[in-house]
Amino acid sequence: MTDSTPTVVLVHGAFADASSFARVVPELLADGLKVLVPAVPNRSLTGDSAYIASVVRAIPGPVVLVGHSYGGAVITVAGAEENVQALVYLAGYALEEGESLGELQGRFPDSELAAALVYTPFPVAGSDEPGTDVTVDVDRFPAIFAADVDPELARVLAVSQRPLAGAAFAEAAPVAAWRTKPSWGLVSSSDHTINPDVERFGYERAGMTTVEVDSSHLVMLAHPKKVADLIREAVRNVTA
């Protein structure tokens, strides 16, 4: 490897954590790639993006930034960092500058997720007003989020969700990195978490190279080789 070999930074989404990339990471490491899978706070779009941007800035050399689901919104903002050379969206939100998750999603019929969300207050330091954590009903999580993932694993994922603060849904993206960076998008065509048309719309608007996989929302666990192949395509583009 040389300093010009990109580091692949994998950004997880809501209701998940870094382990959602557990089957993709070995594929990339076997290619000799440098890989980093940071934990996303899932507290606010601008805060989460600033955190991931700080991780990216600390990496010497080029970065291929990969975002799943809400992580797609995060890389849309964090991807503006100078050393980010390519973006890869996995069943993700490709927001426009000034657009929020709620606005993009509101243009399309709700997925099954909307009726399965659970709202729980959490304390906010320095404030008398609590925040709101959003998770997926544990019993409904496997069918909505991970229908084609091993059922035993899906049960574990259901009870180990990383919540997303409700405030993140309403925050507008201050920048859209896909406007200046080559981008790839994967549509999970059997997604019950995000309406696949939300994914298609964002990718088409951004002029991305797009592939479709017949998969649940957790495409990285259900179809890791197809995910790794798309990331490899982005890496080849950076190193060409």
Side-chain angles (χ1 to χ4, degrees):
M1 290 184 296
T2 68
D3 286 342
S4 64
T5 302
T7 298
V8 179
V9 178
L10 304 169
V11 181
H12 69 78
F15 324 130
D17 59 23
S19 69
S20 58
F21 287 104
R23 295 189 69 193
V24 172
V25 170
E27 295 269 341
L28 302 177
L29 292 177
D31 289 349
L33 291 168
K34 295 172 282 188
V35 181
L36 188 61
V37 196
V40 184
N42 282 4
R43 298 294 82 187
S44 72
L45 177 57
T46 51
D48 295 339
S49 301
Y51 174 71
I52 295 300
S54 75
V55 171
V56 166
R57 281 196 300 275
I59 297 171
V63 167
V64 172
L65 198 50
V66 181
H68 173 246
S69 191
Y70 167 69
V74 173
I75 71 169
T76 295
V77 181
E81 288 299 312
E82 189 175 345
N83 59 328
V84 174
Q85 300 295 304
L87 304 169
V88 181
Y89 291 78
L90 306 173
Y93 294 102
L95 299 179
E96 175 61 282
E97 182 176 337
E99 183 178 58
S100 70
L101 287 173
E103 287 171 336
L104 175 55
Q105 219 163 235
R107 296 177 178 174
F108 299 88
D110 282 342
S111 68
E112 292 177 36
L113 175 71
L117 294 176
V118 177
Y119 302 91
T120 309
F122 70 89
V124 177
S127 174
D128 294 331
E129 292 294 317
T132 301
D133 262 342
V134 184
T135 54
V136 183
D137 178 88
V138 168
D139 292 334
R140 299 181 66 184
F141 181 100
I144 291 174
F145 216 74
D148 51 358
V149 173
D150 176 79
E152 289 302 309
L153 176 56
R155 290 176 65 201
V156 173
L157 298 172
V159 299
S160 54
Q161 296 177 52
R162 192 179 186 104
L164 178 66
F169 289 97
E171 279 188 271
V175 64
W178 49 258
R179 287 194 163 275
T180 56
K181 311 287 174 89
S183 304
W184 285 258
L186 184 151
V187 175
S188 287
S189 60
S190 294
D191 202 330
H192 295 286
T193 299
I194 299 177
N195 183 332
D197 285 338
V198 173
E199 301 163 22
R200 294 183 184 105
F201 174 82
Y203 301 167
E204 186 175 335
R205 177 172 62 182
M208 292 186 199
T209 302
T210 303
V211 300
E212 299 221 2
V213 177
D214 183 10
S215 175
S216 71
H217 191 57
L218 278 177
V219 63
M220 310 90 70
L221 288 171
H223 301 279
K225 292 187 183 302
K226 290 182 179 179
V227 169
D229 283 344
L230 188 65
I231 295 170
R232 289 175 181 125
E233 186 176 329
V235 169
R236 283 195 296 269
N237 181 271
V238 169
T239 55

